[in-house]
Amino acid sequence: MITFFLFSVFLLFFPVSAQAGAESAPSEKAGCINERMETGEMIDLSGKWQFFYGAFLSANQMNGLQKSQKTYIDVPSNWKGFIYDGEKLPAFGIATYYLKIVPGRNETLKNHGFGIYIGSVAYAYELFINDKLVKHVGHVTESKEGFKAMYSPGSTTFTSNSDTINIVLHVSNFFYPHYSGISRRCYFGNDTQINLLSLKESIYSMFILSILLIFLIIQVIFSRINPQEKSHKYIAWICLAFFVKFAFDSNITVLNLFRNADFGLLYRFWMMTLICTPVLFALAKTRYPAEINKTVLTVVNISYFLIFIFIAFFPLQVVFSYIRSILFLTFLCVLYLLYVFILTIIKKRVHSVVNALSFMIMIATFINDLVFATNQSSFWFISQIGVCIYMMTQSALEFLDYSKSYHNVIELSHELTDINNGLLEIVETKTEHLQTANDELFKINKQQKFLISILSTDLTYIFKKIKTFSTILIKSHNSLDLYCQDLSKIRTASEKGAQIVGNVIDWTYSQTPYNPDKKTITDLSSLVGDLKQFFFDQFENKRIKLQTDIDNNFIFSCDVSHLNIILRNLISNAIKFSYIGSKIEIKNMEEDGKAIIEVTDHGICIPPDKLSTIFNSDKSKKRLGTSGEKGSGIGLLIVNELVKINNGTITCTSEIGIGTTFSIHFNQ
C-alpha cells in the first residue's frame, strides 16, 4: 500500500503527458510549421510530413520536387497500406520524411540550442538537421544487404543560426513486415526542454522498472519462506516477464547496451513475454481452482509451450507471419480469464472484485497500446501503469492473505497455549496422584520386604533346628537302626525345605518392584565368611574345601541383601555340582573400572550348547548334582535378575576337566 501511495504521488506530480509546459503548434500548411517560439516552449511535431517512398532525398531535393510529386503522410503512422502513386505501400522499403520548422525571429532564441525528440522509428533511421547528420539508429541501407534494425528512442540537441530548420529522416525497414515509419510522437524545442523531456521519460521508466524489480525480489523472498504457496512464484514470474519487456521497449532500453548484438535475437526475447499468459492462468488457478477448467488450462499450457518453441527456433519472418494468430490466441485467453473473474464475482469469491478490476485495468492499458499506439496523449506506453497496478494489487492481496493467516495462527497459538496450560494442570494433578500412589506402593513394598525378611528368618531358623537335632540324634545312634534311617529322612527333608523356602523368598525379592538400597560394599570378606558358616554342613558332607582370595579394597555399590542372595545361590550351585573332596574358589579383582567377583567350582562342567540358556528358566533343564542333589531350577535365574537390578552383569565360562566359573561385574 505504501508503494501504491508513492506511485500515485509520482503520477500526480510527474505527468506522463509530453505536452506539459508546451502547446502543439498548428501547421500553416502541410510539411511546414511556422510559429513564433517563446523560450521554454516545446512543439508537438505530429501532423502532415512530406513523404517520399523508394529513395533517400535531401531537404533541397524534397523542396525541389514538383507539386504533383509531393506527398504528405500523417506522423506518427504506419506507411504500410498507405496509398502512394495509386498503390498500397508494403512494409519493407526505404522512405524520406521531411518537415520544415520556422521558429520565428525571437532574439532570445538566436544562437540558442535546439533539441528534437524522436519517439520511435521502425526500424532504422538517420536524422538530418539542415543537411547535417545529427543522429542515427541502426544501419540504414537501401536494400536488405547490410541493413541492421535497432530500437532506441531518445533526443538529440543542436545549434542553428538559420531562421529555418529542415528536418529530414531517412528510414529503412527490412525487418518487420507489419509496421514501418515513425510510430511515436516527435517533439521540437529548445535544448533544455528536450533534455528535460528525455530525463522525465528516463525517470518514469526507471520508476516502473524499479517497482517491478522490488515486487520480483519480494515475491522471490516470500516463495522461499513459504514454498507451499505457489502464488508467490507465479507473481514473481509475471514480474520478471514484464520487467524484461519494459527493459526492452522503454526509453532506457537495454538495447542501448547491446548495439552490436543481433536485434532479431533480442526481439525474440521481447516476444517471449507472451509466455506469461499461462502463468496468469496458473495464478488464477491458485486463487479460484473451481472456476478454472482443467482442460482449458492444459490446452493453454501446451499451446504456449509450442509458441515458445516456435518463437525461439523458427525463422523470424515465419514467426512474424503468424504473430497476429498468436496475439488472437492471447486475446481469447484474456477473454476466458475475464469470464472466470466475472464468474467469481457472481459466486462472491474472496477478493473477486479487486482481482477482476485490476486485471481489466491491465488489459485495457494493453489494448490502448495496441490499438491507439500511434495517437495517444502520453509520450509512451501506458501498459506499464496497468501492469504495475495489477502487480501491486496481487501483492497487496497476497500480503492481506498472509496477514490474515498470521492473525489466525496467532489466535490458534493462543488457543493451543490455553489448551496446553489446561493439559499441564491435568498432568500436574495426575502426577501428584501418581506420586501419592507410588509412595503408597513403596510403603507396601517396604512392608512386604519386611514381612518376607521375617518369614525367611523364622522358617530358615526352624529348618536349621530340625536339621541340627536330627544330625545329633543320628550321630548318637547306630546308623543301621531303623530309627536313624527315619532321622536321616527328616534331615534330608529339612534341608530340601530350607532350600525351597530360600529360593521362593529370593525369587520374590527379585520380582518385587523395589529400588535397591545400594550401599558401598567395603567388607566382602565378612559376607563370604558368613556364607561359609551357612553352608558348613554341606561342605563337611561332601568334604569340599572353600578357598577365598578377597581384597576389601576393591569396593563397589550393591544392595547388601541382594549380594547375599546372589553369592548364596552361586555357592549352593557350586556345591551341588562339585565332586566329593574337590574345592570351590571365591575371589575378587578389579578390571576396567569394574569390581569383579568370581565363584569357581571344579565339578561337572556345563555343555557348550547349554551355556547360552543357563539364565533362562524356560529353556534350562534341571540337572542332578554329583551326589544326586535335586534343584528348583530358579537359582541362576534369581541371580541374573538381582545382578541386573544392581546395574551389574554376570557371565559364565565352563571347560571340561577344569570347571565352571561365574563372574559378576559391578560398577565401582
Side-chain angles (χ1 to χ4, degrees):
M1 298 306 291
I2 295 175
T3 307
F4 183 79
F5 173 77
L6 294 175
F7 184 70
S8 302
V9 172
F10 177 83
L11 294 181
L12 180 64
F13 291 99
F14 191 92
V16 298
S17 175
Q19 301 179 38
E23 291 187 3
S24 178
S27 301
E28 291 184 358
K29 61 180 181 178
C32 180
I33 295 178
N34 190 346
E35 180 183 330
R36 180 183 178 86
M37 288 182 60
E38 300 295 337
T39 304
E41 287 186 332
M42 187 166 53
I43 300 173
D44 184 353
L45 301 183
S46 301
K48 297 290 185 179
W49 286 45
Q50 188 177 339
F51 178 76
F52 190 89
Y53 180 79
F56 294 141
L57 304 180
S58 66
N60 291 332
Q61 289 173 322
M62 294 293 284
N63 282 321
L65 293 173
Q66 295 180 5
K67 188 174 182 180
S68 61
Q69 294 178 308
K70 291 184 178 180
T71 303
Y72 298 92
I73 190 171
D74 287 324
V75 172
S77 68
N78 182 7
W79 83 47
K80 181 185 179 182
F82 179 71
I83 305 300
Y84 187 84
D85 288 341
E87 296 181 358
K88 289 185 177 181
L89 294 179
F92 289 164
I94 64 174
T96 301
Y97 287 82
Y98 170 65
L99 181 67
K100 180 190 295 184
I101 300 177
V102 183
R105 295 182 177 277
N106 190 336
E107 292 298 326
T108 59
L109 291 175
K110 192 173 183 180
N111 297 323
H112 195 281
F114 293 97
I116 184 170
Y117 175 85
I118 304 296
S120 178
V121 178
Y123 268 88
Y125 72 90
E126 293 176 339
L127 173 62
F128 295 87
I129 303 295
N130 293 339
D131 294 326
K132 181 180 179 181
L133 179 63
V134 295
K135 184 179 178 67
H136 72 91
V137 173
H139 192 190
V140 178
T141 59
E142 296 182 358
S143 64
K144 290 184 179 180
E145 186 176 356
F147 171 79
K148 184 177 181 181
M150 183 53 66
Y151 172 80
S152 180
S155 62
T156 185
T157 58
F158 59 91
T159 59
S160 175
N161 295 323
S162 174
D163 293 335
T164 301
I165 297 175
N166 295 303
I167 301 176
V168 175
L169 274 174
H170 290 169
V171 181
S172 61
N173 176 33
F174 300 100
F175 176 74
Y176 190 63
H178 300 298
Y179 201 102
S180 295
I182 302 174
S183 58
R184 297 291 181 269
R185 290 175 180 266
C186 300
Y187 296 92
F188 173 80
N190 66 58
D191 54 359
T192 302
Q193 288 296 318
I194 294 298
N195 287 333
L196 180 60
L197 172 63
S198 182
L199 178 62
K200 285 183 177 180
E201 283 192 57
S202 299
I203 294 175
Y204 171 74
S205 299
M206 284 293 296
F207 184 76
I208 296 294
L209 291 173
S210 298
I211 289 177
L212 291 175
L213 184 60
I214 290 172
F215 285 142
L216 172 62
I217 295 173
I218 291 174
Q219 294 300 330
V220 169
I221 292 174
F222 273 90
S223 67
R224 293 290 186 181
I225 295 175
N226 186 14
Q228 289 78 19
E229 183 57 55
K230 295 182 180 180
S231 58
H232 295 300
K233 180 175 63 176
Y234 296 144
I235 295 176
W237 275 111
I238 295 172
C239 288
L240 178 61
F242 284 112
F243 180 85
V244 171
K245 178 185 180 300
F246 295 149
F248 276 100
D249 61 22
S250 66
N251 182 60
I252 53 171
T253 173
V254 296
L255 297 176
N256 291 326
L257 303 176
F258 305 99
R259 291 186 175 273
N260 296 324
D262 182 5
F263 183 73
L265 178 62
L266 300 176
Y267 202 85
R268 290 180 192 270
F269 278 106
W270 182 82
M271 288 191 294
M272 283 181 185
T273 56
L274 289 171
I275 309 302
C276 71
T277 303
V279 182
L280 290 172
F281 270 76
L283 179 61
K285 180 71 173 177
T286 59
R287 295 190 182 280
Y288 311 111
E291 283 69 29
I292 297 290
N293 185 278
K294 292 183 178 180
T295 303
V296 173
L297 183 61
T298 302
V299 170
V300 169
N301 289 334
I302 294 174
S303 299
Y304 278 89
F305 174 75
L306 295 176
I307 290 173
F308 172 79
I309 300 297
F310 181 64
I311 293 175
F313 299 105
F314 279 67
L316 267 179
Q317 295 307 317
V318 177
V319 175
F320 290 150
S321 64
Y322 288 95
I323 193 67
R324 290 179 178 175
S325 300
I326 297 174
L327 292 176
F328 179 72
L329 175 61
T330 303
F331 178 71
L332 293 179
C333 292
V334 169
L335 288 181
Y336 179 80
L337 286 176
L338 286 175
Y339 160 75
V340 169
F341 286 127
I342 293 173
L343 194 62
T344 59
I345 293 175
I346 295 174
K347 294 183 178 181
K348 297 181 180 180
R349 301 297 191 198
V350 179
H351 307 317
S352 57
V353 175
V354 177
N355 263 312
L357 286 177
S358 63
F359 183 77
M360 286 189 287
I361 289 172
M362 180 179 69
I363 296 305
T365 58
F366 273 98
I367 293 175
N368 172 82
D369 288 354
L370 289 173
V371 178
F372 306 106
T374 61
N375 188 24
Q376 51 185 341
S377 61
S378 63
F379 60 77
W380 203 239
F381 296 118
I382 64 171
S383 57
Q384 295 106 318
I385 300 175
V387 170
C388 286
I389 291 174
Y390 182 72
M391 289 296 99
M392 284 189 290
T393 303
Q394 296 302 312
S395 298
L397 292 178
E398 286 295 323
F399 295 144
L400 182 61
D401 292 339
Y402 178 79
S403 63
K404 287 183 178 179
S405 300
Y406 179 76
H407 180 69
N408 292 336
V409 169
I410 294 299
E411 290 184 349
L412 182 60
S413 176
H414 291 325
E415 293 178 4
L416 291 175
T417 300
D418 294 338
I419 294 173
N420 185 59
N421 291 334
L423 290 174
L424 286 176
E425 292 179 359
I426 295 173
V427 170
E428 289 177 357
T429 303
K430 295 296 183 182
T431 302
E432 291 177 358
H433 292 166
L434 289 174
Q435 185 62 42
T436 302
N438 186 61
D439 293 341
E440 292 294 329
L441 181 61
F442 180 78
K443 291 179 180 179
I444 292 172
N445 288 333
K446 190 173 182 180
Q447 292 173 356
Q448 182 184 22
K449 180 185 177 183
F450 178 71
L451 292 175
I452 290 172
S453 298
I454 294 174
L455 180 63
S456 173
T457 303
D458 291 346
L459 289 176
T460 302
Y461 177 77
I462 291 172
F463 280 113
K464 281 186 176 181
K465 286 296 184 181
I466 295 174
K467 177 184 175 182
T468 301
F469 288 140
S470 61
T471 300
I472 294 173
L473 290 173
I474 290 171
K475 289 182 178 180
S476 61
H477 292 81
N478 188 352
S479 59
L480 298 176
D481 189 84
L482 182 61
Y483 177 71
C484 292
Q485 294 179 4
D486 292 335
L487 289 177
S488 296
K489 292 179 181 179
I490 293 173
R491 185 178 70 176
T492 303
S494 66
E495 290 177 351
K496 185 65 177 178
Q499 183 180 8
I500 292 173
V501 170
N503 287 337
V504 170
I505 293 173
D506 292 345
W507 174 250
T508 305
Y509 261 119
S510 67
Q511 298 302 307
T512 301
Y514 162 73
N515 292 324
D517 184 16
K518 289 187 179 182
K519 293 182 179 179
T520 301
I521 306 300
T522 58
D523 192 7
L524 180 61
S525 60
S526 296
L527 181 60
V528 172
D530 293 339
L531 290 173
K532 182 178 180 180
Q533 292 298 321
F534 182 83
F535 290 104
F536 178 79
D537 291 337
Q538 292 173 268
F539 284 132
E540 286 292 323
N541 290 338
K542 297 186 76 170
R543 298 193 303 277
I544 296 173
K545 183 178 181 181
L546 177 64
Q547 293 183 354
T548 61
D549 183 11
I550 304 298
D551 187 346
N552 289 327
N553 291 323
F554 300 148
I555 61 177
F556 57 93
S557 297
C558 184
D559 187 294
V560 177
S561 60
H562 288 180
L563 182 60
N564 188 293
I565 295 171
I566 292 168
L567 292 177
R568 188 172 71 238
N569 276 278
L570 290 178
I571 294 172
S572 175
N573 191 72
I575 294 172
K576 176 181 176 181
F577 294 105
S578 291
Y579 295 115
I580 296 175
S582 63
K583 65 178 179 179
I584 295 175
E585 301 174 13
I586 301 176
K587 62 181 179 179
N588 69 336
M589 64 192 72
E590 183 180 34
E591 184 178 320
D592 297 331
K594 301 279 187 179
I596 303 174
I597 303 174
E598 291 185 350
V599 178
T600 303
D601 67 75
H602 299 279
I604 302 174
C605 71
I606 302 173
D609 59 331
K610 304 295 183 181
L611 277 175
S612 59
T613 62
I614 60 173
F615 298 112
N616 190 331
S617 62
D618 295 332
K619 297 182 180 180
S620 179
K621 294 184 179 180
K622 299 177 183 179
R623 296 190 302 160
L624 296 177
T626 55
S627 297
E629 300 98 327
K630 296 181 179 179
S632 62
I634 64 172
L636 292 180
L637 180 61
I638 294 171
V639 170
N640 188 41
E641 291 291 335
L642 293 179
V643 169
K644 288 181 179 179
I645 290 174
N646 289 273
N647 300 321
T649 59
I650 183 170
T651 59
C652 177
T653 59
S654 183
E655 295 184 31
I656 298 175
I658 296 178
T660 302
T661 300
F662 287 89
S663 300
I664 311 168
H665 301 251
F666 288 114
N667 294 323
Q668 288 187 308

